[in-house]
Amino acid sequence: MAAHYDVLIVGGGIAGLSLASALAGQCSVALVEAEQELAYHTSSRSARQFIPSYGPPVVQELTVRTLELLAARDAELPEPILTPRSFMLIGAEEDVAAEASGLMRSITPAEALELCPALVPGTFEAAGLDEGSFGCNAPLLLEDHRGRAASAGVDIITGARVHTAQRLGSGWQVGAGTEGFQAGVLVNAAGAWADELAVISGVEKLGLQPYRRTAAIAAVDHPLPEHSPMVAAADNSFYFRRDGDDVLISPSESEPSGPEDARPRAGDIERLVDRLNRITTLGITEVRRAWTGLRTEAADGVPVAGFDAEAPGFYWLAGQGGYGFQTSSAMAELAAAQILADQGGAGQGAAGGAGAAAAAGTAGPEFRTAQALAATRWSVRR
């Protein structure tokens, strides 16, 4: 016999877990994850950096709100999720000018060298600095969401890949692993598999595309100072940051992929090590471990969030690209408001949900991003 819930979330990464914790205690919720462990794919392979100047305007607004929410949460935790760590762009003048936005300010090459002495003088023309950037303790954030959700009654089931889903009456009937579920709202937080879940559910897919992004932890002869910024090439060809006495490095590739358990390709990290050893004095000596994650995006790079106008009760929470962690709390806050407002409206659409929440007197700082999202894709296929 199928278990009954108000909301069934498919996907146990940062998107699904943050929504589960936001909804916990306000309605009955189950979360199903195909893998045997939560956050197995992209969410466990994050660069762990929140950059308010990174991404399109909607993403920047969501990032600011997420930072506010996490700062408030940090005040309640024995160990902080956020740690100040600035972010610096370097490269040709036109590339830095094109990429610098929001809270980032222009700095001189001399200032950049002072902030990161490992850079070799003359290897870049310009730089930009975002001093409002933070490092993120991703495992702690994920565990905090999981713990809050579970303690408030959310059922979390792993090793349960969705194989069937259909709209029946006023809700959804879903088969995942050996379990059966019935729910009024089906949330698609399946990351790189979001379009696949849509097809299984009989919903038109959105053309979400996963892209590869590889990173590695490398040993160095000359560790970066403790307060060094994360450094990225303005042409998106690499980034690196301190990781204890080691460095985290990435070639920042963005190559289309199918949904898969991605792995590094031969030569990608080796070529990056050679380049970094030419433009820095880090002296990379060994790659300790490497991994590849998938950043799933819509064609316009804007996260997808909202009820599908053609599939009642089917809620998209996907396409966060490389902004998943830094937008997660704001996206979950807004999505929870839409879903809860919709509980009596049988999936009438996200834009309507925001209006209902505001009319009910719950509008506040958490809704300031709703207007920006409504101008993009807060209501899917409306």
Side-chain angles (χ1 to χ4, degrees), residues 33 56 78 110 118 148 278 284 323 373:
E33 164 57 43
R148 282 196 286 167
R278 285 185 281 109
I284 298 174
Y323 320 113
L373 286 165

Side-chain angles (χ1 to χ4, degrees), residues 53-216:
S53 59
Y54 182 43
V58 168
V59 167
Q60 293 183 23
E61 188 74 10
L62 289 166
T63 300
V64 170
R65 179 58 181 160
T66 295
L67 286 169
E68 291 174 352
L69 292 168
L70 292 183
R73 183 61 183 158
D74 271 352
E76 304 173 4
L77 296 174
E79 179 183 358
I81 294 168
L82 300 175
T83 304
R85 180 169 62 213
S86 59
F87 173 76
M88 187 165 71
L89 279 177
I90 60 170
E93 289 186 6
E94 60 270 24
D95 290 336
V96 172
E99 291 295 319
S101 61
L103 300 176
M104 180 167 285
R105 63 181 178 87
S106 177
I107 61 174
T108 66
E111 290 173 311
L113 290 169
E114 185 175 347
L115 289 167
C116 184
L119 293 169
V120 173
T123 56
F124 61 97
E125 298 175 350
L129 183 67
D130 183 344
E131 294 176 292
S133 181
F134 287 82
C136 171
N137 187 331
L140 178 60
L141 178 56
L142 290 163
E143 176 55 27
D144 184 54
H145 284 311
R146 187 210 63 77
R148 282 196 286 167
S151 65
V154 174
D155 289 333
I156 298 175
I157 303 99
T158 58
R161 184 176 297 276
V162 172
H163 48 80
T164 57
Q166 58 181 325
R167 178 79 181 176
L168 290 178
S170 61
W172 288 85
Q173 183 166 303
V174 177
T178 60
E179 308 279 345
F181 303 86
Q182 290 183 354
V185 175
L186 175 59
V187 177
N188 183 355
W193 285 263
D195 266 357
E196 284 196 0
L197 178 62
V199 172
I200 291 171
S201 306
V203 176
E204 183 182 351
K205 59 185 181 180
L206 295 180
L208 301 176
Q209 176 63 58
Y211 293 90
R212 294 171 53 85
R213 178 62 56 88
T214 300

Side-chain angles (χ1 to χ4, degrees), residues 299-382:
D300 60 5
V302 175
V304 177
F307 284 101
D308 193 299
E310 298 175 4
F314 189 92
Y315 193 96
W316 291 85
L317 187 62
Q320 292 93 345
Y323 320 113
F325 272 91
Q326 71 178 52
T327 63
S328 58
S329 294
M331 292 284 283
E333 180 182 56
L334 288 165
Q338 308 297 338
I339 291 168
L340 292 170
D342 183 77
Q343 286 294 293
Q348 295 304 307
T362 58
E366 66 271 22
F367 287 100
R368 70 184 181 203
T369 55
Q371 291 181 341
L373 286 165
T376 53
R377 193 187 282 107
W378 187 241
S379 183
V380 179
R381 274 198 286 268
R382 61 181 179 177

Side-chain angles (χ1 to χ4, degrees), residues 245-266:
D245 289 335
D246 299 326
V247 291
L248 183 148
I249 62 175
S250 172
S252 295
E253 85 275 29
S254 186
E255 299 176 11
S257 170
E260 63 178 6
D261 187 2
R263 292 287 185 266
R265 292 176 178 165

